[in-house]
Amino acid sequence: MNRRVVYTRGGSPADVLTVIEEPEPAAPGRGQVLIRTTAFPVHPGDLQAIAAYPGEAADPVTPGIEATGVVEAIGPGARLAPGVEVGGRVTVFPQQGAWSQWLMADAEAVVAVPEKLPDAVAAQMLTNPLTAVMLRREAQEHLAFGYDGVLVQTAAGSSVGRLMTGVSQFHNFGLINVVRSERGAAELRKRFPDVQVVATEQPGWADDVRKAAGGRPVSVALDPIGGEMSRSLVDLLAPGGKLVSYGMIAEEPISVHASTLVSKSLTLCGKNIISGWPAESSPERRSSDIATAKQIALSLTEQFDVAATYGLDELASAVEHAVRPGKVGTVLIRP
């Protein structure tokens, strides 16, 4: 049997998600790879997509975009990445409907897992590292960043934030991390003692960022929160600066007056790893980015924290844990 997570209407994931049983999938078709899933992550974006789903679905929808597992069969004409073979460990991304015991994946989305990586890291090997690669490119290609510009990122204690810190250190970027609490700041300083951290629970935190910059321009800000936080970052940006929004944690809109954008010649842009990265990247760039994501996973393995691991029978607990305040690491499900 195949057990998979489904929903038929939008709403709170804890209320609308359920697990169904069905026959195991047939042999893979042309260009497909059949994968027995060993673990998949519960990404915040997965839950946001469920909550925002419009209306009623004609057929049950399976959430998820990433999973790791073992190749059981390969269909004819499949264009395989190096190392992908029957019996081999792989990760798939972007793979709509990844929350399932069995996956019928497009061969182009299947990536071999390095032997040294455990399943707990392999299950997170692409989405978050590729997000860090995408954000690094947005910063590095912005001309105002230059040689003396400073990069500021919020939610720096998140899975993506920690990887972005490691990537920034590798590229010698000037970086200031912003987190919500002093407790989170202390934890991040232990992980990255050479990177400055500012907690927004302190009054005047924006001035603390300016002080940490030491007179250098805040050229690029990376923000998955939105709302009031994004507006504060716009105020921090130097003339010619750039705000990159890559998440929707806050419910309120970003309120910025046009005069601020015009007078400071600012750039605001949004990035989406699920749809933006595949659409905006050539096959060569995608291949290069995936190789970089693998290297990030190998080099920064200790930053791929797992908050907890659940079974499919514990789905409600897994979903609750994934959005729990103060959570460190990614929630995984082993089907």
Side-chain angles (χ1 to χ4, degrees):
M1 297 294 290
N2 178 40
R3 301 177 72 205
R4 64 184 175 103
V5 181
V6 299
Y7 62 99
T8 56
R9 58 183 174 86
S12 170
D15 296 332
V16 302
L17 291 177
T18 187
V19 178
I20 64 172
E21 292 188 354
E22 59 191 6
E24 291 180 10
R30 186 169 188 81
Q32 292 183 318
V33 176
L34 178 61
I35 298 167
R36 175 174 51 82
T37 305
T38 54
F40 58 77
V42 181
H43 291 303
D46 298 327
L47 303 182
Q48 289 173 351
I50 296 166
Y53 190 86
E56 298 275 343
D59 297 306
V61 179
T62 298
I65 56 168
E66 181 177 29
T68 193
V70 176
V71 175
E72 294 292 328
I74 298 172
R79 299 178 60 181
L80 302 175
V84 176
E85 59 187 8
V86 173
R89 297 168 62 229
V90 294
T91 290
V92 289
F93 171 84
Q95 175 64 42
Q96 296 295 333
W99 291 12
S100 179
Q101 280 187 305
W102 293 86
L103 293 176
M104 195 70 78
D106 291 335
E108 294 182 355
V110 181
V111 178
V113 172
E115 183 178 350
K116 293 171 59 176
L117 291 184
D119 280 356
V121 178
Q124 317 172 54
M125 188 181 78
L126 294 179
T127 302
N128 289 336
L130 285 173
T131 299
V133 171
M134 176 185 71
L135 296 176
R136 182 217 68 192
R137 183 178 296 125
E138 287 296 317
Q140 204 164 20
E141 293 181 353
H142 187 57
L143 294 178
F145 193 48
Y147 291 101
D148 61 346
V150 175
L151 173 67
V152 172
Q153 69 161 341
T154 62
S158 67
S159 298
V160 171
R162 296 193 306 274
L163 296 182
M164 190 63 205
T165 299
V167 168
S168 296
Q169 287 188 310
F170 179 81
H171 289 280
N172 294 314
F173 288 173
L175 174 67
I176 301 172
N177 279 330
V178 176
V179 296
R180 182 172 51 186
S181 68
E182 280 296 342
R183 179 181 177 182
E187 169 63 25
L188 208 54
R189 292 186 188 106
K190 290 180 183 178
R191 292 175 183 259
F192 303 101
D194 298 329
V195 180
Q196 300 194 69
V197 188
V198 172
T200 60
E201 74 175 6
Q202 297 295 335
W205 67 268
D207 289 333
D208 292 338
V209 172
R210 295 185 181 95
K211 182 179 179 180
R216 293 174 295 172
V218 177
S219 301
V220 179
L222 309 176
D223 178 48
I225 300 174
E228 182 64 22
M229 175 56 72
S230 289
R231 190 202 64 77
S232 297
L233 293 173
V234 167
D235 291 341
L236 282 169
L237 286 171
K242 181 179 187 178
L243 170 67
V244 182
S245 179
Y246 68 98
M248 302 172 289
I249 296 176
E251 294 185 3
E252 72 270 16
I254 301 173
S255 178
V256 180
H257 197 281
S259 62
T260 302
L261 304 180
V262 173
S263 64
K264 296 173 70 174
S265 298
L266 300 179
T267 299
L268 306 185
C269 76
K271 304 301 293 185
N272 183 338
I273 190 64
I274 300 173
S275 60
W277 175 75
E280 297 173 6
S281 302
S282 65
E284 293 78 15
R285 170 164 279 187
R286 288 197 295 273
S287 178
S288 174
D289 286 353
I290 287 172
T292 302
K294 285 186 179 183
Q295 189 57 50
I296 289 173
L298 289 167
S299 302
L300 298 173
T301 300
E302 70 280 2
Q303 302 303 333
F304 287 75
D305 292 48
V306 174
T309 302
Y310 295 89
L312 276 179
D313 293 334
E314 304 169 296
L315 180 62
S317 297
V319 168
E320 180 276 326
H321 196 163
V323 296
R324 188 180 301 171
K327 171 184 68 70
V328 176
T330 300
V331 170
L332 300 182
I333 293 179
R334 287 189 175 273

